[in-house]
Amino acid sequence: MRAGSRGGGRDATWPREVRAVAVDREDDAALAAALGDGCDVLVDMVAFEERHAAQLTGLADRIGSAVVISSGAVYEDDKGRGFDTQEEPDGFPRYPVPIRETQATVAPGDATYGTRKIAVERRLLAAGDRLPTTLLRAGAVHGPYCRTPREIHFVKRALDGRPVRVLAYGGLSRFHPVHVSNLGELIRLAAARPGSRVLNGGDPDVPTVAEISTAIDAVMGVESELVLVDGPPPVGSVGETPWSGNGHPIVYDMSAAERELGYRAVTGYADSLPATVEWLAEVLRDQDWREAFPKLSQRYAPGGDGPFDYAQEDAWLAGR
């Protein structure tokens, strides 16, 4: 068994038979060399563009089957709204609840994350006779070592001694999470049953943002006041969270994975939290959050405090 990454590192918990190899995904020759004589199953976590799919199909004679991580960002609603239109007026999608794999998707292209992901899907599905590939449309991935951990929104507030949690949209927003171990289980099952298919990837439960806040507080041994705002953030980003979604739920239907693979989740959101929170709290005690998670900082707080603008939050609380 080989585990390839840019740095070629390994985790201390991996079995000894796992061989770590350094491989640059952008280098076709390096990927081919890492693959060697071939493998029974290739798991691809970093297929972001159609040319990455082309790399895999070009090596199809050396790959028994593949499991590739896609994204729920490929979906669009019946009015053509999706993740790419969120910042437009009335642009946030109103998906059905739950979203099935038959839901419409964005057009393939190279303009956005979602259009690139669907281009990957289309290329691999078209080559299904040569390379059977399961594409997993993952929800909001969470767990230790995440580069963009949404849980930081509440963990940092607890560490900073913040007494309140302001939540827009009444704290009712839901964005389907998927723990890394549940994705791992989906990968394991798909590897055992090769085929060309698209399946959603999600946890068994989809908590509201208020339930997430309360669950993280419980893990950290604190109790905060929930201040619920009807509607959008009242000022700036006050009340906004990484799960907010304009109050419109994003929930994925997992029945196809259960039916086709026999999928049963290995953990739920609340049960998985202690390990994630412990890891994240330890990181935040040693580093500034911007240094620890530069990708997250670039997304939510370019040049500012972003979700941790406590002065703005306190001013609104004082004047409400």
Side-chain angles (χ1 to χ4, degrees), residues 157 161-165 223-226 314:
R157 280 172 164 75
R162 299 293 296 174
V164 300
R165 309 284 183 265
E223 187 173 346
S224 57
E225 176 190 359
L226 292 180
D314 287 340

Side-chain angles (χ1 to χ4, degrees), residues 4 7 25 29-30 50 54 68 70 79 82 86 96 98 122 128 151 154 208 212 224 238 241-242 278 304 309:
R25 178 55 187 276
E50 187 175 3
V68 176
S70 186
K79 293 187 177 180
Q86 292 180 67
R122 300 281 177 86
E151 287 71 21
F154 296 123
T208 66
I212 292 173
S224 57
V238 172
T241 77
E278 180 182 359
D309 188 344

Side-chain angles (χ1 to χ4, degrees), residues 49-111:
E49 303 177 16
E50 187 175 3
R51 63 192 176 90
H52 293 153
Q55 284 178 324
L56 300 186
T57 58
L59 296 166
D61 60 336
R62 286 193 257 170
I63 303 170
S65 67
V67 184
V68 176
I69 302 301
S70 186
S71 169
V74 302
Y75 290 120
E76 67 178 15
D77 70 10
D78 58 0
K79 293 187 177 180
R81 295 172 298 204
F83 282 26
D84 295 336
T85 64
Q86 292 180 67
E87 303 305 319
E88 300 174 10
D90 194 36
F92 199 90
R94 276 75 157 175
Y95 296 122
V97 177
I99 304 169
R100 295 182 173 86
E101 290 86 348
T102 53
Q103 179 68 23
T105 64
V106 297
D110 58 8

